Amino acid sequence: MRARYANLARTRTLDPERDYLAIYQTMLRYEFPWDMKLGLNLAFNRSFSIPAIAAVHTATGELTERTQKRLDDTGLLMYEMVLNGFDQPRGRDALRRVNQIHRPYDIPNDDYLYVLGCLVVIPTRWLQQYGWRRPCCHELQATYVFYRELGRRIGIADIPESYEDFESWFDAHDAAHLQPNDDAAAIERATRMLMLTRIPKPLAPLGNALVSAMYDAPLRRAMQVDAPAWPVRTGLHLALKTRSRLQRWFGTPPTTPLFADGVNAKTYPNGYDISQLGPEPTGMPYQPDP
């Protein structure tokens, strides 16, 4: 049991303001790899669902017509920054690429802030409900600081000053703006395959119902997704709770971290260059950092 909490003990010796990247990497790669990947998938789904944001995505066609590439590109850019930080060459190049992709669009600050809030709040809430343990205060703070730093580097203003403040801002914005809309419904239909890959193979026949059960009621309304039957919702909840307890009592931390062999994607079976990621008409050539 002591080994199960070794990473937590080490995390508590670190400073989340200074060591935020190491703490966040440990969460993703060692402590909660499956849960963090699923939580980030849920965060991306929600970030695409505010009507104004959904309209931008359907207008470009990136999520509805080139779905796999768009999802792979988003995931690869995020994981390059998480695995390398913002100051190492690949992390810097990924950050620069994110800025180049978004530069041609006149996106309001609150929309950027909402997307950032999804990445902060949604995975954390999943861990609080279904992780093998709840994230500690150092992990909450490190998550906030990582995304605060990302937000600052892509020019987002008025980022709330703490995790708790960001969570409150997110909930208020979500309640005011997450409304049913056809664009979100179209994106959800196109991107559902990403969530289906998180379903264990024995449960594949129930895959669509289980995906819908992972969404909360406001998100289902926005995406115009019917609520699955209560046995599916209850069964999923109980299964996830049982899994968390079994992991806590009998699990051991992985000795090989997630992404130890790099980050792979269906779109790039032979590997990728950061300059390939994102829409083809970027508006300006990609120039890697020297």
Side-chain angles (χ1 to χ4, degrees), residues 26-46:
T26 298
M27 292 173 66
L28 176 66
R29 305 187 72 193
Y30 288 100
E31 287 292 87
F32 314 105
W34 185 86
D35 295 278
M36 287 287 287
K37 286 183 70 176
L38 178 59
L40 287 167
N41 289 342
L42 289 168
F44 284 126
N45 271 30
R46 199 178 201 93

Side-chain angles (χ1 to χ4, degrees), residues 4 16 29 37 52 75 95 100 110-111 121 133 149 161 174 195 226 246-247 258 267:
R4 191 70 177 110
R29 305 187 72 193
K37 286 183 70 176
L95 180 64
Q100 289 179 341
D110 274 4
D111 288 350
V121 174
R133 64 169 175 82
E149 188 65 20
E161 296 185 357
D174 198 63
M195 295 300 300
D226 292 335
L246 291 174
Q247 281 196 315
L258 186 65
T267 307

Side-chain angles (χ1 to χ4, degrees), residues 57-71 186-187 189-191 193:
H57 286 295
T58 55
T60 66
E62 289 297 308
L63 274 168
T64 53
E65 299 172 21
R66 295 172 288 279
T67 307
Q68 187 65 60
K69 183 178 187 300
R70 175 62 170 79
L71 296 175
I187 292 170
R189 289 194 296 271
T191 60
M193 64 179 184

